[in-house]
Amino acid sequence: MAQVLWSDLPVEILLIIFQNLKDPSDVYRCGLVCVSWKSVATTILPPFLLLSNVGGFSDDMTSFHFEPSLNKQSCRLFNTQTNETHEIFLPEVEKCWFSGSSFGWLITICLEPPHEVHLLNPLTRDRIQLPAARQLSLRSDLRVITSASPLNPTCLVLAINHLKGALAFCRPGDKSWTLFEDFCRRLDDVIHYKGEFYAVNSVGHLFHPHCNTHATQKVLHLCPIEFLPDEPLHRNYLVELDDKLLLVVRYMHMPFRSYFTYEFEVYELNRVEKVWIKVINIGNNTILLGTGSSISLPVSYFRNFQVNCIYFIDDNIKDIYFRSLRAVHNTGSYNIATGQIEYLFETSLIRSSPLNWFVPEVICRKKKRKMKSWSSKIRRSLLNWYTPKI
C-alpha cells in the first residue's frame, strides 16, 4: 500500500479534524506543519479579542492604577467568529498586564518595579525579554511593535509613549532602550511598513525614525488633515493594506467622562505629492483597529467580518470604571460605505476588560522577505512537537 504524505490529506478531512480541536494552541501547531495545513488552519484560527488579565479603576480624572488582586496565570482569548472564550494557562503572565500584540506575540509588562517587558507567544509559550519599562514611564500608555517575528534575528522593537512623547527602540537581548533624544512630540500610532518604522501625530504629520547606532528621526512634511471643526476629539491609526500605508482617523465625543466613537475616515499616503488622499472603499478587506495593535485582513475566511468595514475596540485602559456605568460600550463595526455603526460583543466579560486584537502568527500578513531561519526556529520552539519532512 502506497504511503500517503501528510501534506496530501484532503482539505475536507483536515477541516473536520481541526474543527474538533478545542485549544487554539493545537490548531496553531497544526498550521506550522506544512503549507496545506496552514491554509486550513487559517480558516479555523480567527482574529481574537485579547482580554486583560488585570483589573483597574480610576478614582478621578487624573488618577489611575491597576488592581493586581484580579491578576491571573492565564490568557483569555475571545473568538470573534464563535463568541466563545478560550482560557490559556500562562504562568508567565502573573503580575503582568498586556500592552498589545505584534506578529502574534503579546507584549507583557510587569506591574512591579523595575517593570520588566517581555514578548510572549501565548500559543507556544516562547518568551523573549526586552529592556525594562522604567526608562519610558507612564506604562499604561505604552505602545510596542516589532519589525518581524521576534524569532527573526533581524527583529527590531519600537516603543512609544502616547502622552509623554517618548520614542525608543531596542533589539531582543538588549539591556536598555535606545532613546530618540529631544523627541517630545505626542504620537498617536506607529507601524513597520516596507522595512521602515513610521509614526504619526494627531494632525497627520508622519515621522520616520531611523533605528541605527545613533537613533535619529526625520519628519515627512505632509499636509495635515483638515479635521471636523466642531468635534476635534480624534485619534489616528496607521495600517498597511495591500502594500499601501493607510491613516485611519477615529472621531469621538466624550459625554459623561466616557468616550464614544461616531465616525471614521480613511486616507492613503501619496509619497510623491506628500499628501493623504481620502479612501472610500477598501475592497474585500476589513480593518481591525486598536491602540495596542491594528491590522487589515481579507474577509474570505471570516464569516462574521464584513467587507469594507472597520472593527474597533474599546481600548482606552483608563476608561474601565466608567464603561461599566454606561448603556453601550465603545466596541463595534463601522461600514465605510454607509457610515453606520453597529455595536458588537455586548457581554459583561468584554465590557469590563481593556481590549487588544490578537492575530495568531499563522494568519498575519507575510512580509515580502521571509527568513528561512525564522520558519525553522518557530518549528524548533514547539515543545515535544514532531514534524516529518514532507
Side-chain angles (χ1 to χ4, degrees):
M1 183 176 178
Q3 183 179 5
V4 178
L5 297 177
W6 289 11
S7 59
D8 292 335
L9 288 176
V11 172
E12 294 79 6
I13 295 179
L14 289 175
L15 193 60
I16 294 173
I17 295 173
F18 291 179
Q19 285 176 337
N20 282 276
L21 298 175
K22 300 302 181 183
D23 191 335
S25 301
D26 293 334
V27 181
Y28 174 84
R29 289 180 170 91
C30 290
L32 296 178
V33 171
C34 61
V35 174
S36 62
W37 284 39
K38 178 180 178 178
S39 65
V40 178
T42 55
T43 68
I44 305 298
L45 274 179
F48 292 94
L49 281 177
L50 171 66
L51 279 63
S52 175
N53 63 330
V54 298
F57 65 93
S58 174
D59 44 15
D60 57 50
M61 288 301 290
T62 59
S63 175
F64 172 81
H65 63 274
F66 294 104
E67 183 59 56
S69 63
L70 299 179
N71 185 245
K72 303 176 66 176
Q73 292 186 334
S74 63
C75 166
R76 290 179 295 174
L77 300 176
F78 180 81
N79 190 320
T80 56
Q81 305 301 293
T82 64
N83 292 337
E84 296 176 335
T85 300
H86 305 275
E87 189 156 359
I88 301 174
F89 176 65
L90 280 177
E92 294 88 351
V93 303
E94 186 177 16
K95 297 182 180 180
C96 296
W97 69 280
F98 308 133
S99 170
S101 68
S102 185
F103 281 89
W105 291 63
L106 306 181
I107 294 91
T108 66
I109 302 178
C110 184
L111 295 168
E112 300 176 348
H115 307 293
E116 292 184 348
V117 182
H118 289 88
L119 297 170
L120 173 65
N121 189 324
L123 302 181
T124 66
R125 291 181 63 179
D126 287 332
R127 189 167 72 154
I128 297 175
Q129 186 167 3
L130 299 179
R134 58 172 173 252
Q135 289 178 263
L136 305 174
S137 71
L138 289 172
R139 290 163 296 279
S140 63
D141 293 294
L142 198 62
R143 169 85 159 96
V144 180
I145 66 168
T146 64
S147 63
S149 165
L151 296 180
N152 188 323
T154 66
C155 178
L156 286 171
V157 183
L158 188 74
I160 65 169
N161 189 298
H162 293 290
L163 294 181
K164 186 180 178 182
L167 183 67
F169 79 93
C170 74
R171 293 174 174 83
D174 286 355
K175 301 300 182 182
S176 63
W177 294 93
T178 300
L179 294 172
F180 288 80
E181 300 295 338
D182 301 323
F183 190 91
C184 300
R185 301 173 178 87
R186 291 181 59 173
L187 299 173
D188 276 2
D189 201 9
V190 289
I191 192 174
H192 189 259
Y193 171 68
K194 290 191 174 181
E196 302 286 346
F197 285 113
Y198 294 91
V200 68
N201 66 4
S202 60
V203 295
H205 286 156
L206 203 63
F207 300 87
H208 186 190
H210 293 273
C211 301
N212 302 314
T213 304
H214 300 288
T216 60
Q217 59 82 29
K218 65 179 181 180
V219 181
L220 303 182
H221 291 285
L222 303 177
C223 295
I225 306 297
E226 294 183 0
F227 294 112
L228 300 179
D230 296 330
E231 295 287 351
L233 185 59
H234 63 274
R235 184 157 196 156
N236 294 333
Y237 303 80
L238 294 173
V239 184
E240 181 178 355
L241 173 64
D242 295 335
D243 292 330
K244 300 174 183 177
L245 183 59
L246 301 184
L247 172 70
V248 182
V249 185
R250 179 178 186 170
Y251 293 104
M252 299 168 285
H253 57 85
M254 194 176 69
F256 309 111
R257 302 200 299 180
S258 190
Y259 292 97
F260 286 90
T261 301
Y262 69 91
E263 187 180 4
F264 289 88
E265 289 182 337
V266 182
Y267 297 86
E268 177 187 335
L269 175 64
N270 184 320
R271 293 185 62 89
V272 177
E273 301 294 334
K274 294 185 179 181
V275 294
W276 293 106
I277 301 174
K278 192 168 185 179
V279 175
I280 60 174
N281 194 320
I282 60 172
N284 294 323
N285 299 289
T286 189
I287 293 175
L288 310 183
L289 208 65
T291 300
S293 57
S294 298
I295 192 171
S296 65
L297 293 171
V299 299
S300 309
Y301 298 129
F302 309 119
R303 62 182 183 276
N304 283 359
F305 288 153
Q306 302 297 317
V307 300
N308 201 31
C309 285
I310 298 170
Y311 287 80
F312 59 95
I313 55 178
D314 199 346
D315 53 11
N316 185 358
I317 197 169
K318 296 182 180 179
D319 199 25
I320 305 169
Y321 173 76
F322 298 110
R323 77 177 61 163
S324 62
L325 304 179
R326 63 192 186 209
V328 186
H329 69 165
N330 201 20
T331 297
S333 66
Y334 176 83
N335 189 301
I336 298 176
T338 65
Q340 293 183 336
I341 287 181
E342 178 183 2
Y343 292 101
L344 303 171
F345 315 128
E346 289 281 355
T347 68
S348 59
L349 190 63
I350 298 295
R351 184 187 294 271
S352 61
S353 174
L355 301 174
N356 278 293
W357 288 109
F358 174 74
V359 181
E361 197 168 11
V362 292
I363 61 173
C364 286
R365 285 188 179 274
K366 295 180 181 179
K367 298 292 182 181
K368 286 188 176 181
R369 297 179 181 177
K370 293 186 286 186
M371 301 288 291
K372 291 183 179 180
S373 58
W374 168 32
S375 176
S376 61
K377 283 186 177 182
I378 293 178
R379 285 170 168 79
R380 288 198 301 268
S381 70
L382 301 178
L383 299 175
N384 301 321
W385 181 256
Y386 172 72
T387 304
K389 295 182 178 180
I390 54 177

